[in-house]
């Protein structure tokens, strides 16, 4: 009987150690089939998930001995937190471990948008040498608008400052006089002002009821002409049909998307646009970040199963 169920692809030395101590059932494709998941989870004391397993109320109810849901990552939108609480199941996660990887991807997107590196690369690979076609712009002196100024937003600000960008930010909950605001010399504004002032807008909000489609027709219209939009947060915070319109009618110069409204997305019009850069939700996928994430979740699962206090409990 498995004590620890892992229904997604998760591996690393910390996982090997966990397997030495507990009976672990690792079935990387199990998340795709809710019925099989509900059967497999019945006796498990712990489940370790990434963002693909949907830990719905029904799945949590089917787990008769579950003590802990460990989320190998930061966002908790695939876990019914309320259902977990009702059933006395602890939720642990890794809120800090992959932030740097996401922040560095966002910086990569900014540079790629400024210099059109993806198209220059493809064109050069095709045997061309079109230097004049790829006249770019500089990040220096431009304004970066961060929507969501938490861990990742702050890391992006720190790095963008090294590129001499001016930083403005909107955060619904962070006090405008928080020490980090002064330390990073960031101007905290309302959402509309951030959109109106920025040459680049980067989203770093969690997916919540009030952030779903936070970026829709009105918000894209409020952005400066020729602005670029970057999303490494969650796909559902963007109304993709509104983004498509803003890009095809020439209002926005470009966009870079690590996350999509539906994942994996159908091949559609966004993917055909040359001014859109896309990656398959790889923000957290650096070797270093994954090692940190797996170490944290394995250590917390071990703690719960030993009756000790885990480190990263979601307090919500
Ligand atoms: P965080 O909780 O530290 O920061 C989020 C910030 O958003 C907080 O300061 C919060 O006050 C603010 N916020 C909440 N609701 C808001 C609203 N309606 N309007 C404006 N601001 C609002 O989280 P983080 O670690 O910085 O991560 C941000 C998001 O990045 C995560 O929730 C996750 O969805 C996403 N993420 C993506 C990847 C990836 O692979 N691409 C990896 C990790 C995290």
């Amino acid at each position: 009987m498995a004590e620890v169920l892992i229904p997604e692809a998760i591996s690393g030395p910390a996982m090997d150690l966990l397997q030495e101590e507990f009976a672990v059932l690792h079935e990387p494709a199990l998340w795709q089939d809710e019925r099989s998941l509900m059967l497999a989870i019945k006796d498990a004391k712990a489940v370790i998930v990434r963002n693909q397993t949907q830990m719905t109320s029904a799945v949590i109810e089917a787990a008769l001995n579950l003590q802990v849901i460990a989320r190998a990552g930061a966002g908790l939108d695939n876990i019914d937190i309320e259902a977990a609480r009702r059933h006395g199941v602890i939720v642990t996660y890794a809120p800090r471990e992959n932030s740097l990887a996401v922040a560095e991807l966002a910086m990569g997107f900014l540079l790629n948008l400024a210099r059109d590196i993806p198209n220059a690369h493809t064109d050069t690979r095709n045997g061309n040498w079109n230097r004049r076609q790829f006249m770019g712009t500089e990040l220096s002196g431009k304004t970066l608008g961060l929507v969501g100024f938490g861990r990742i937003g702050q890391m992006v600000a720190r790095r963008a400052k090294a590129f001499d960008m001016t930083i403005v930010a909107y955060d619904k909950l962070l006090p405008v006089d928080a020490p980090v605001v002064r330390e990073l010399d960031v101007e905290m504004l309302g959402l509309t002002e951030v959109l109106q002032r920025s040459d680049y807008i980067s989203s770093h909000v969690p997916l919540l009821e009030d952030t779903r489609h936070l970026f829709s027709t009105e918000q894209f219209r409020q952005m400066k002409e020729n602005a670029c939009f970057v999303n490494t947060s969650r796909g559902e915070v963007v109304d993709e049909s509104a983004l498509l319109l803003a890009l095809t009618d020439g209002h926005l110069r470009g966009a870079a998307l690590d996350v999509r409204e539906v994942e994996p997305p159908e091949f559609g019009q966004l993917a055909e646009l040359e001014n859109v850069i896309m990656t398959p939700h790889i923000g957290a996928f650096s070797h270093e970040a994954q090692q940190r994430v797996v170490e944290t979740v394995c250590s917390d699962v071990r703690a719960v199963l030993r009756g000790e206090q885990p480190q990263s409990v979601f307090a919500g």
Side-chain angles (χ1 to χ4, degrees):
M1 187 193 75
E3 293 170 287
V4 182
L5 176 67
I6 307 173
E8 291 186 54
I10 302 175
S11 58
M15 192 64 79
D16 299 341
L17 283 177
L18 195 73
Q19 275 174 334
E20 284 175 17
E21 195 173 338
F22 301 100
V24 175
L25 177 64
H26 188 194
E27 285 199 30
L30 192 60
W31 63 273
Q32 294 173 1
D33 177 0
E34 191 183 58
R35 249 174 73 84
S36 304
L37 175 66
M38 282 163 83
L39 280 175
I41 206 168
K42 192 164 156 272
D43 298 314
K45 294 179 184 165
V47 60
I48 304 180
V49 300
R50 287 195 190 280
N51 67 342
Q52 288 175 300
T53 311
Q54 296 306 311
M55 291 301 293
T56 59
S57 170
V59 172
I60 293 170
E61 238 158 68
L64 304 177
N65 294 323
L66 199 62
Q67 297 174 26
V68 57
I69 299 169
R71 159 77 170 103
L76 292 166
D77 36 281
N78 57 321
I79 298 171
D80 188 330
I81 299 288
E82 196 37 54
R85 193 170 290 134
R86 271 201 316 276
H87 289 84
V89 176
I90 298 170
V91 176
T92 71
Y93 63 147
R96 287 165 293 275
E97 287 71 357
N98 60 27
S99 311
L100 181 58
V102 183
E104 288 192 0
L105 182 68
M107 288 309 299
F109 278 159
L110 294 178
L111 288 163
N112 274 280
L113 287 165
R115 301 304 296 269
D116 200 11
I117 297 171
N119 288 319
H121 167 76
T122 306
D123 193 66
T124 310
R125 258 208 143 147
N126 287 339
N128 301 314
W129 197 253
N130 290 321
R131 297 178 65 211
R132 299 261 162 229
Q133 189 181 323
F134 295 105
M135 185 70 73
T137 55
E138 294 168 359
L139 292 181
S140 176
K142 304 297 186 306
T143 298
L144 171 63
L146 298 167
V147 179
F149 197 56
R151 277 177 298 265
I152 298 172
Q154 291 167 22
M155 282 179 166
V156 173
R158 213 174 280 279
R159 282 148 186 80
K161 283 208 82 67
F163 281 84
D164 293 327
M165 297 189 85
T166 299
I167 318 289
V168 296
Y170 164 65
D171 192 291
K172 194 175 168 182
L173 304 174
L174 188 80
V176 291
D177 57 353
V180 68
V181 173
R182 194 153 359 115
E183 185 210 329
L184 294 176
D185 188 23
V186 173
E187 195 177 350
M188 299 302 291
L189 301 168
L191 177 59
T192 304
E193 283 171 287
V194 165
L195 302 180
Q196 288 171 342
R197 290 255 303 260
S198 304
D199 301 295
Y200 293 85
I201 293 104
S202 189
S203 171
H204 301 287
V205 288
L207 177 62
L208 301 167
E209 267 325 302
D210 67 342
T211 57
R212 195 175 293 275
H213 283 195
L214 181 65
F215 298 96
S216 191
T217 309
E218 191 188 339
Q219 289 70 35
F220 289 121
R221 284 284 135 234
Q222 288 167 343
M223 292 178 191
K224 267 187 185 175
E225 225 162 283
N226 279 327
C228 288
F229 176 71
V230 171
N231 188 11
T232 56
S233 60
R234 282 290 179 268
E236 297 96 319
V237 307
V238 175
D239 175 351
E240 285 190 357
S241 53
L243 174 62
L244 179 69
L245 195 65
L247 286 161
T248 47
D249 72 7
H251 185 71
L252 291 188
R253 181 161 64 80
L257 308 173
D258 182 47
V259 286
R260 302 295 303 275
E261 255 187 302
V262 177
E263 294 184 5
E266 304 239 322
F267 185 83
Q269 285 169 290
L270 267 177
E272 287 170 15
L273 297 181
E274 284 199 345
N275 54 348
V276 176
I277 302 169
M278 289 174 174
T279 50
H281 200 149
I282 56 169
F285 284 7
S286 72
H287 288 292
E288 297 88 339
Q290 286 311 303
Q291 191 170 332
R292 288 191 294 269
V293 164
V294 175
E295 275 168 12
T296 296
V297 291
C298 286
S299 142
D300 276 349
V301 163
R302 182 180 294 108
V304 173
L305 297 188
R306 284 178 177 170
E308 297 163 5
Q309 182 60 35
Q311 294 298 310
S312 293
V313 177
F314 178 68

